[in-house]
């Protein structure tokens, strides 16, 4: 089992560089890059430093330069491209106390929690179960609106020692990642791979035709299916038996 865990465990250092972190009572902000911020609020003031699927690594060996200032009841963090303002430090993030200013195509924009993102270019979706026809995709990291937000609050966590999955904390928290790259999509994806891990090129065979159906096939049914593709001259690169390869 230890060999298996070593092969599949996430690589990276989930604890961010100390010079990237700003704490304001029950809120913590991490400047991962000038355009990528981690925003955390914790009901108990306990911080989440374990890795997650989306962010197994949060350590930047060369933390970006930024200015942080707390005046009366407002914290301001200026990374250059982004200006974050958090009023009444310690309170749960909302549109009333949190904003981030940035520019998109030279125009000043302001993001607040709950803001719609109709220009999001979408990503993928976990499953096509119960889908017939068009299927909506989940939000992605790139948007014509110039920003994207990843909510990692309830994500499964992984222990630092052996990399085994662990439950999310049982107290209330907000764990968000704000991408404010404007229309610099290439840089947004490049920066994400620094923390989410490199993305390998897919093998050529997966670009061809796939057949997958959740169906109680017999062995002969599958043979007939493959022969049908051959008889009609249709290429078949991948045949997936879905979940019936194992005992339910």
């Amino acid at each position: 089992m230890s060999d298996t865990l070593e092969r599949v465990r996430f690589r990276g250092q989930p604890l961010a560089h100390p010079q990237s972190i700003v704490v304001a009572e029950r809120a913590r902000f991490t400047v991962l890059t000038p355009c990528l911020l981690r925003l955390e609020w914790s009901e108990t003031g306990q911080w989440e430093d374990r890795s997650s699927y989306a962010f197994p690594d949060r350590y930047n060996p060369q933390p970006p330069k930024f200015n942080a200032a707390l005046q009366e009841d407002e914290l301001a963090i200026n990374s250059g491209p982004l200006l974050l303002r958090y009023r009444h430090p310690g309170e749960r993030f909302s549109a009333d106390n949190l904003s981030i200013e940035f520019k998109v195509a030279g125009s000043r924009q302001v993001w607040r929690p709950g803001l719609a993102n109709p220009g999001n270019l979408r990503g993928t979706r976990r499953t096509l179960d119960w889908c017939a026809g068009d299927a909506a995709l989940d939000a992605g990291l790139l948007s014509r609106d110039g920003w994207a937000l990843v909510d990692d609050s309830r994500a499964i966590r992984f222990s630092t020692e052996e990399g085994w999955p662990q439950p999310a904390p049982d107290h209330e928290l907000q764990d968000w990642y704000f991408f404010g790259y404007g229309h610099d999509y290439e840089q947004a994806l490049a920066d994400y791979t620094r923390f989410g891990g490199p993305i390998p090129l897919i093998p050529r065979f997966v670009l061809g035709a796939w057949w997958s159906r959740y169906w109680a096939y017999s062995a002969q049914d599958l043979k007939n299916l493959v022969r049908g593709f051959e008889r009609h001259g249709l290429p078949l690169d991948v045949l997936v038996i879905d979940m019936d390869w194992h005992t339910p």
Side-chain angles (χ1 to χ4, degrees):
M1 178 63 77
S2 60
D3 291 341
T4 300
L5 288 176
E6 187 59 31
R7 288 198 301 270
V8 302
R9 72 180 299 156
F10 287 117
R11 309 297 174 184
Q13 186 171 337
L15 183 61
H17 196 294
Q19 295 180 16
S20 297
I21 298 174
V22 178
V23 177
E25 298 184 22
R26 290 184 294 168
R28 183 172 75 165
F29 303 92
T30 306
V31 184
L32 296 172
T33 76
C35 297
L36 176 55
L37 307 179
R38 186 187 187 193
L39 322 172
E40 296 175 89
W41 175 86
S42 170
E43 179 185 37
T44 63
Q46 295 176 299
W47 309 116
E48 183 53 81
D49 291 323
R50 296 172 294 174
S51 62
S52 68
Y53 274 118
F55 288 88
D57 193 346
R58 304 186 189 97
Y59 187 81
N60 186 344
Q62 296 180 325
K65 295 181 179 180
F66 63 91
N67 295 319
L70 179 62
Q71 296 182 351
E72 297 182 356
D73 63 347
E74 179 178 288
L75 170 68
I77 298 177
N78 190 340
S79 68
L82 305 179
L83 174 58
L84 177 147
R85 299 184 189 277
Y86 176 48
R87 300 171 183 82
H88 309 293
E91 295 185 4
R92 185 182 182 90
F93 298 148
S94 71
D96 296 326
N97 63 18
L98 181 65
S99 67
I100 298 178
E101 299 179 22
F102 58 101
K103 287 187 177 181
V104 180
S107 177
R108 175 181 172 273
Q109 305 290 333
V110 179
W111 170 86
R112 291 183 174 85
L115 182 66
N117 193 344
N120 193 281
L121 298 176
R122 320 308 292 176
T124 184
R125 61 179 293 139
R126 190 191 67 82
T127 179
L128 292 175
D129 289 344
W130 306 109
C131 288
D134 294 344
L137 299 175
D138 293 335
L141 301 181
L142 309 179
S143 174
R144 294 188 180 93
D145 293 327
W147 64 272
L149 185 73
V150 175
D151 187 346
D152 214 29
S153 305
R154 304 311 303 170
I156 294 174
R157 309 294 169 164
F158 296 86
S159 63
T160 304
E161 294 74 19
E162 70 275 5
W164 193 250
Q166 296 182 327
D170 57 6
H171 60 270
E172 288 294 319
L173 60 82
Q174 293 167 294
D175 189 359
W176 299 345
Y177 292 82
F178 181 84
F179 289 72
Y181 285 84
H183 293 155
D184 194 350
Y185 302 150
E186 184 176 354
Q187 190 61 54
L189 292 178
D191 282 354
Y192 175 67
T193 61
R194 297 168 60 184
F195 306 104
I199 304 169
L201 291 175
I202 58 177
R204 290 188 64 182
F205 73 85
V206 305
L207 298 175
W210 287 55
W211 179 272
S212 176
R213 187 185 184 194
Y214 183 39
W215 194 254
Y217 286 111
S218 67
Q220 189 59 48
D221 289 336
L222 288 171
K223 291 179 181 179
N224 293 340
L225 176 66
V226 173
R227 289 181 184 131
F229 273 86
E230 184 178 28
R231 184 171 61 255
H232 289 89
L234 297 175
L236 179 62
D237 295 280
V238 178
L239 176 65
V240 181
I241 313 177
D242 209 284
M243 295 184 291
D244 282 340
W245 58 270
H246 60 74
T247 302

